[in-house]
Amino acid sequence: MSDNLIERSERHGLVCLTVNRPKALNALNSALLDALAAELDALEAEPGLRGVVITGAGDKAFVAGADITEMRELSAAQARDFAQRGLATLKRLEALPVPVVALVNGFCLGGGCELALACDWAVASDNAIFGQPEVALGVIPGFGGTQRLPRRVGPAMALDLVTTGRKIDAQEALRIGLVNQVMPLAELDAYAERLAKQLAGNGPQAVRSAKQAVHDGLDQDLDSALALEAGLFALAFAGDEQREGMSAFVDKRKPNF
Ligand code: CO8
């Protein structure tokens, strides 16, 4: 691994971003947030993008939080600025038009858990540890944890985690719906390969519309959200993908998307 704070690799249109500060358990400092924002500049401009996975360098941590050494001396105004930069960057990650998946390969704490929550879903290695331990440091989550965690696991479990600061293992994270799957650490790479192939085999615009329908619909009442889905469903019939996908089924061949 080089000195880049974010490493980038790609397979079948799936871009893998690796947070690369293993000596500090990949803790998010300002320079790392800048590096992530620069990667997002590139990803937002990539028409062939099929998906993104994000993981941490090494076999111990995904991201062990925002950088406590850097935060220690912040004034309230500087803390607000740092939090807003983190929030804006995670919002851009969440808003990418393709699936974004956290491959959680170890400690996933504080800002690291908030990074995973900004992804569409997470899978975890069986050594992963999750938590929002900010209260033990005399602060609260600042990169969206108090808002995205209850939306993912429900308010009672989120309140338990953000007020006690207790850490949970991968199996408990699975049980509460914080992650979709748990697997041995060594299998995360094979998961990414499978995901890349699955996404590459699907209609790219259909995948984007499916993500858009879920995300935009969650902000609306059910009737408006169902109308949104109907509009996006109809739109699929105005492009080439639907004809190719359905013709391939009838012709008993693989679609060429
Ligand atoms: N920030 C900076 N350095 C860190 C962090 C961190 N979050 N986590 C670990 N490190 C460093 C350690 O200081 C240590 O460095 P060194 O070798 O120079 O002493 C190195 O990584 C290895 O860590 P440990 O020796 O502690 O490893 P252990 O295996 O003994 O423990 C733990 C692993 C349990 C993960 C432990 O490191 C730990 O508790 N880390 C802190 C976890 C934490 O509290 N995270 C939440 C931080 S607060 C936050 O994320 C707020 C987000 C919102 C920000 C809003 C902006 C204002």
Side-chain angles (χ1 to χ4, degrees):
M1 197 78 30
S2 78
D3 288 340
N4 292 338
L5 285 170
I6 306 272
E7 283 286 323
R8 183 192 148 124
S9 61
E10 183 175 345
R11 51 187 149 191
H12 317 296
L14 181 83
V15 168
C16 179
L17 301 179
T18 303
V19 180
N20 184 29
R21 263 191 97 202
K23 285 190 185 137
L25 301 188
N26 303 320
L28 299 173
N29 60 10
S30 309
L32 224 157
L33 281 182
D34 287 346
L36 183 55
E39 290 297 337
L40 288 166
D41 289 341
L43 292 176
E44 285 164 353
E46 252 173 71
L49 186 66
R50 297 290 190 122
V52 175
V53 292
I54 184 154
T55 193
D59 55 8
K60 200 171 161 191
F62 173 68
V63 167
D67 190 300
I68 298 168
T69 317
E70 192 179 282
M71 282 187 297
R72 188 165 68 138
E73 303 296 343
L74 295 183
S75 66
Q78 288 168 325
R80 179 186 296 269
D81 180 58
F82 185 53
Q84 273 166 354
R85 277 173 58 202
L87 286 173
T89 305
L90 295 190
K91 187 78 204 162
R92 286 176 65 195
L93 182 70
E94 184 174 53
L96 285 174
V98 295
V100 179
V101 181
L103 305 181
V104 179
N105 58 316
F107 288 111
C108 181
L109 301 172
C113 195
E114 293 168 301
L115 172 62
L117 286 165
C119 297
D120 292 315
W121 72 88
V123 301
S125 57
D126 48 21
N127 68 327
I129 299 285
F130 295 80
Q132 297 287 168
E134 287 88 345
V135 283
L137 299 166
V139 297
I140 70 167
F143 290 163
T146 63
Q147 304 309 311
R148 288 197 179 93
L149 188 59
R151 283 166 171 78
R152 182 136 325 162
V153 303
M157 184 54 79
L159 278 160
D160 170 350
L161 294 174
V162 301
T163 63
T164 65
R166 76 182 174 92
K167 300 183 178 76
I168 61 173
D169 63 16
Q171 286 304 330
E172 184 168 359
L174 179 66
R175 207 161 55 241
I176 68 174
L178 182 51
V179 302
N180 283 15
Q181 291 182 55
V182 175
M183 59 197 72
L185 181 62
E187 286 177 20
L188 282 181
D189 192 58
Y191 174 88
E193 177 69 20
R194 239 177 3 258
L195 177 67
K197 287 189 174 148
Q198 282 164 341
L199 292 175
N202 293 337
Q205 187 50 51
V207 171
R208 288 167 180 240
S209 291
K211 170 164 175 169
Q212 187 191 342
V214 172
H215 272 267
D216 292 358
L218 281 171
D219 294 332
Q220 301 178 17
D221 64 77
L222 184 60
D223 283 343
S224 312
L226 291 172
L228 165 77
E229 184 192 77
L232 289 166
F233 177 76
L235 199 63
F237 285 75
D240 299 334
E241 279 182 24
Q242 171 267 338
R243 219 160 301 280
E244 170 60 12
M246 294 191 175
S247 300
F249 176 82
V250 173
D251 300 344
K252 300 189 186 306
R253 60 175 174 82
K254 279 206 164 138
N256 183 17
F257 290 126

